[in-house]
Amino acid sequence: MVELPMTVPPDAVLARGQGVSLWRQIATAIERDIAGSAGAMQPGARLPTEAALSARFGVNRHTVRRAMEELEARGLIRVEQGRGAFVAEDVLDYPLGPRTRFTEAIQRQNREPAGRMIRITEIAAEAQVAKALGLRRGRPVVLAERLGLANGRPVVIGSHYLPAQRFPLMLDLLSENPSITRALARSGVPDYRRRSTRITARMPTPEEATLLQQSRARPVLVTEAINVDAAGVPVELSIARYAAARMQLVVES
Amino acid sequence: MVELPMTVPPDAVLARGQGVSLWRQIATAIERDIAGSAGAMQPGARLPTEAALSARFGVNRHTVRRAMEELEARGLIRVEQGRGAFVAEDVLDYPLGPRTRFTEAIQRQNREPAGRMIRITEIAAEAQVAKALGLRRGRPVVLAERLGLANGRPVVIGSHYLPAQRFPLMLDLLSENPSITRALARSGVPDYRRRSTRITARMPTPEEATLLQQSRARPVLVTEAINVDAAGVPVELSIARYAAARMQLVVES
DNA sequence: ACAAATTTGTTCGTATGTATG
DNA sequence: ACATACATACGAACAAATTTG
């Protein structure tokens, strides 16, 4: 990019010397762009660079930065060094209770939940899975991998392991309808609860980053939960990876 | 690095053609190096590169890799592309109950807990802190930042915010002894409990990475907990940052 | 592993307008 | 009228983080 030495008129004209500081006018202009009734920007969308904005408004970069500071302090945008500024995404809460279901948790926050099945297969249980489900190694388990979305934005990848011998129809049921709760209900488990949850954080695999539509440089929250039936017998091992920027876990005591 | 075309004798000699595969011999040799009675390697310490090991054992790099695979599958080491192989660190559990204290949680897992105060100051409450503690913005709060260690390894940084007006002696008490529990007890709060906890994950700041002695490329788990007294009044906002590689959170339901 | 390009963050310096005493 | 303090605005240079090839 070559810098043109000419003075170009700014696209947006500000009222100079009228009692309202330039940076305030810029802040409200950007705010209108973000939440404006006309074309509202999507949460997570990237704002123009500081250089672009200062050109557009015909001001120094510092003046734009002062406006950005204001918007960030008010929680409307998120600025990241080296990456840019982004329309703030609202962070959803995921309550870690014994009975929380993804769909309910999202609905309670007035978002539209959705699920997309990524893959359903039957595999042999490795050590970790077998131990969690109380099976012997190598026993068949159904593995269902599901992407959970809120308002169309991906927020979680869930890997669900269920004993194939106890639930012979599970693979078909989940192929029809991605709801684990529904498939378990049709398999004679009307209710189940979360027994224990381990929470860790790590960097995403390339596939996880793609599915969650997030940068490979941001971490995922990982929960590993064992779900048991009314009798306390494990029916599902669930490993979920949350986009940490869009979802936080909440424990009520 | 230039590859020397000469054949140099390996430092460690293996038994070839004796019924035990080379990679198994190498695996047990490395295992002895790691956990050996002689000079045990510290958890988190870096192993020699694959090239160095293949030179030392006089085998192809693939053979060393086969041994590494085995050790990684058994959880003894952790291999990271582009970084190297490291002696596995044991991951401690931190139970997120209403009454869990750091010291007890570490002791229950037979580790030696320790705490080092990083800084104690009195500051004006910003919006987030004020809201959590039920104060007005700008009211004075004591901020105590503490590094928690297990067996001498840093595992958590805790930032503790307490209302300075309710606890006028807090700054002095914490300067004497870094225990929050003790300082609260001496301030007329013999017991407190965790009301709610939010859990997120993010990349560490440079300072956090240094304090936790971890790579800036690995995430930290962040918990934000509000602690209340027997009457349910908030007495402390606690923001903790855990080295995700050394600590995982556990919720029992 | 490295270098280049892009983008935000920080720190100088300079100048102007406004409110205060 | 003058001095002072403060917020605003501009310019330049460099530092730091990220992305890309």
Side-chain angles (χ1 to χ4, degrees), chain B residues 29-107:
Chain B
I30 296 176
E31 189 178 349
R32 266 198 303 273
D33 281 359
I34 292 173
S37 49
M41 293 179 76
Q42 287 298 316
R46 186 169 168 190
L47 293 173
T49 63
E50 292 179 358
L53 287 170
S54 53
R56 171 172 147 199
F57 290 108
V59 297
N60 190 276
R61 189 167 144 255
H62 290 303
T63 313
V64 170
R65 284 183 62 76
R66 182 66 191 87
M68 305 278 254
E69 262 176 50
E70 177 71 11
L71 294 174
E72 183 165 36
R74 285 204 279 145
L76 271 78
I77 66 171
R78 177 171 44 83
V79 180
E80 290 177 43
Q81 187 173 7
R83 299 221 312 140
F86 303 85
V87 178
E89 309 187 56
D90 42 5
V91 180
L92 297 182
D93 289 352
Y94 193 84
L96 278 188
R99 283 198 158 63
T100 36
R101 308 285 184 251
F102 176 76
T103 305
E104 296 166 25
I106 301 301
Q107 280 172 342

Side-chain angles (χ1 to χ4, degrees), chain A residues 60-79:
Chain A
N60 189 276
R61 191 162 76 96
H62 287 303
T63 313
V64 170
R65 284 181 61 76
R66 181 68 190 84
M68 304 278 257
E69 261 177 51
E70 179 71 10
L71 294 175
E72 183 165 35
R74 286 204 279 143
L76 271 78
I77 66 171
R78 178 173 41 85
V79 182

